[in-house]
Amino acid sequence: MEPRSIAHFDLVSLLGEGGMGVVYRARDRVLEREVALKLIRPERAGDSEARQRFLREARAAAVLTHPGIALVYEAGEAASADPGDPAPLYIAEELVEGETLSEALRHGRLGVEEVVRVGALAAEALAEAHARGIVHRDIKPSNLMRTRDGRVKILDFGVAKQLVWAADLDSDEADMVTWSRTAAGLLVGTPAYMAPEQVAGEAVDPRADV
């Protein structure tokens, strides 16, 4: 049976599902606004690595305030309905009204001018993420939303990687650039949209998004 509420959020309707989580349209009872509420899948809630990845998504997206990136409002751990079950994790994000590019493409191809416009807006938002040391790693039509007023929003930083800039490391490591670790043998992202080095499990940098 699906939950009807999590923490101070009332679930309204299902918006989508992925390998890590389920996203609902929800009502924030405290701030009295609608949000997109992502919940970790119940079968993944007891997996410590999955929980860490889920929270990394919130932290990665939370530092980004660009208008082309869906805002993260908060993340947390809700009380479990059963004391024996792992506490469910949630991420409350900006509810973006519109349609994804994958939905738009079901009606036919986009015109050249629209492709260029969408591409330029997405590239501008990605440049902001890259400047802050974050690589999305899953740019694809279903993660690009065209809003009702014509803007473009990047969604879902669930498999993003955080870059540690050389300037932030200890002095004896000043020439190093380190990426957050992914579990050994775990391929993350969508293969059809991956850069070759990502498919091969090699280190990635902002060029993988481009």
Side-chain angles (χ1 to χ4, degrees):
M1 182 176 179
E2 291 188 351
R4 294 184 178 180
S5 65
I6 292 288
H8 52 281
F9 300 96
D10 294 325
L11 306 186
V12 177
S13 60
L14 179 67
L15 292 178
E17 300 184 53
M20 281 291 295
V22 182
V23 183
Y24 292 90
R25 177 188 291 266
R27 178 75 177 172
D28 183 337
R29 295 193 300 272
V30 174
L31 297 179
E32 298 184 346
R33 64 180 173 185
E34 286 198 324
V35 301
L37 192 72
K38 184 172 186 177
L39 307 179
I40 192 169
R41 284 187 172 279
E43 62 269 25
R44 307 297 298 275
D47 182 337
S48 60
E49 173 63 24
R51 293 178 74 87
Q52 290 173 15
R53 280 184 56 203
F54 191 84
L55 291 176
R56 278 202 299 268
E57 171 184 357
R59 295 187 188 109
V63 303
L64 303 173
T65 56
H66 191 278
I69 297 172
L71 293 173
V72 168
Y73 297 137
E74 66 173 282
E77 189 176 89
S80 176
D82 185 331
D85 291 339
L89 297 177
Y90 67 85
I91 303 173
E93 303 180 0
E94 173 187 6
L95 180 63
V96 182
E97 302 282 7
E99 65 177 357
T100 64
L101 286 190
S102 60
E103 292 169 337
L105 289 168
R106 293 172 189 162
H107 309 303
R109 294 184 178 183
L110 303 181
V112 173
E113 288 186 3
E114 179 64 0
V115 169
V116 172
R117 187 188 73 84
V118 169
L121 290 173
E124 183 181 293
L126 278 173
E128 172 67 15
H130 296 161
R132 290 182 171 267
I134 295 169
V135 181
H136 189 285
R137 296 201 302 172
D138 201 20
I139 295 297
K140 57 186 178 181
S142 60
N143 282 338
L144 293 176
M145 176 79 78
R146 290 195 307 183
T147 68
R148 291 175 178 173
D149 59 1
R151 292 173 296 144
V152 173
K153 292 266 190 179
I154 297 177
L155 310 176
D156 197 353
F157 280 73
V159 299
K161 260 198 172 179
Q162 181 92 40
L163 174 66
V164 178
W165 296 109
D168 296 331
L169 299 174
D170 295 336
S171 58
D172 59 347
E173 298 178 311
D175 59 342
M176 294 175 60
V177 176
T178 306
W179 297 88
S180 62
R181 297 177 58 193
T182 301
L186 180 62
L187 186 66
V188 294
T190 307
Y193 295 96
M194 285 182 180
E197 63 272 23
Q198 188 174 345
V199 175
E202 299 171 1
V204 298
D205 60 32
R207 291 172 294 182
D209 285 345
V210 177

